Amino acid sequence: MRTVVVTDPPRADAAAVDALGGFGVATVHEAMGRTGYLGPAIRPVHLGARIAGTAVTVLSWPGDNLMIHVAVEQCRPGDVLVVATTSPSTDGMFGELFATALQFRGVRGLVIDAGVRDVADLHAMGFPVWSAAVSAQGTVKATPGAVNVPVTIGGQVVRAGDAVLADDDGVVRVPREQVADAVEAARAREKKEQATRAAFQKGELGLDRYGLRDRLPGMGVEYVQYSEYGES
């Protein structure tokens, strides 16, 4: 690993990121061709938050939060801190003191593929976190890593300046060059879902709206009376 701090990386357009934040993670993920989802292991510490921002990335050694301290200086208003480790870790690398420093700098939340602690304090101060674990296990500040380099979480590469959206469904990243396209795709997806919702509210079935009924016979699905089917 090259132990570097990359300063002033390109960031996705702030207005476009804010517009993207008006849509849910699931909608954006589907609109972008079911890409960018960081996986079910990264979950909200508290339910009810929704954020969108530009990524400041951290690559740390397990059980070592030195580079998170380094990264705080690189954060700007509207950013989301995204932390990965060089090998799996569940140690509590982040807590209330870090959140206090990040809130001062206008950071919107944290995504970390490791553990967090001070959960009650984080909730009380309104700092949203998505993590792989909650753990009181402490860490050291001893081994250099990197800031604003590409990191991988859940098989997805997150670069500095990419858009990061997070809500109760998890976390999705959108490459910084694709944010404007993602906004349009998500808007079209939401419009389509609104029409479907209205149809369902009137009693229409998904079988018919999605053209599934005519496909069932070709899949070998039969409809039979109970008297014909019986039970073993």
Side-chain angles (χ1 to χ4, degrees), residues 63-148:
D64 193 312
N65 65 7
L66 170 65
M67 298 313 291
I68 300 180
H69 284 281
V70 175
V72 172
E73 185 180 30
Q74 303 303 316
C75 292
R76 300 179 184 175
D79 283 338
V80 174
L81 190 64
V82 179
V83 180
T85 55
T86 57
S87 60
S89 175
T90 58
D91 294 341
M93 297 175 62
F94 184 99
E96 173 263 336
L97 293 178
F98 268 137
T100 299
L102 291 177
Q103 274 193 332
F104 176 81
R105 304 185 78 86
V107 174
R108 293 176 174 174
L110 168 76
V111 175
I112 181 168
D113 193 12
V116 296
R117 59 186 188 177
D118 304 334
V119 169
D121 295 319
L122 294 172
H123 182 58
M125 65 193 296
F127 189 83
V129 170
W130 287 257
S131 72
V134 172
S135 174
Q137 177 65 45
T139 58
V140 298
K141 302 167 181 61
T143 313
V147 174
N148 282 334

Side-chain angles (χ1 to χ4, degrees), residues 23-41:
F23 305 98
V25 165
T27 295
V28 173
H29 169 62
E30 292 282 358
M32 294 298 292
R34 298 189 298 279
T35 62
Y37 177 49
L38 270 56

Side-chain angles (χ1 to χ4, degrees), residues 154-174:
Q156 300 295 322
V157 175
V158 182
R159 301 169 304 160
D162 283 349
V164 176
L165 284 75
D167 62 19
D168 289 352
D169 291 334
V171 183
V172 67
R173 75 93 176 90
V174 176

Side-chain angles (χ1 to χ4, degrees), residues 146-219:
V147 174
N148 282 334
V149 299
V151 299
T152 302
I153 298 178
Q156 300 295 322
V157 175
V158 182
R159 301 169 304 160
D162 283 349
V164 176
L165 284 75
D167 62 19
D168 289 352
D169 291 334
V171 183
V172 67
R173 75 93 176 90
V174 176
R176 56 183 180 248
E177 303 90 350
Q178 298 178 27
V179 172
D181 291 339
V183 171
E184 293 305 313
R187 186 173 291 129
R189 173 89 186 178
E190 185 175 67
K191 184 177 180 180
K192 179 181 178 181
E193 289 179 350
Q194 288 172 346
T196 300
R197 185 178 301 107
F200 286 172
Q201 288 170 340
K202 295 178 181 177
E204 186 173 352
L205 296 173
L207 275 176
D208 300 311
R209 185 164 187 85
Y210 299 139
L212 302 176
R213 189 183 301 279
D214 293 339
R215 294 168 55 188
L216 293 178
M219 298 177 180

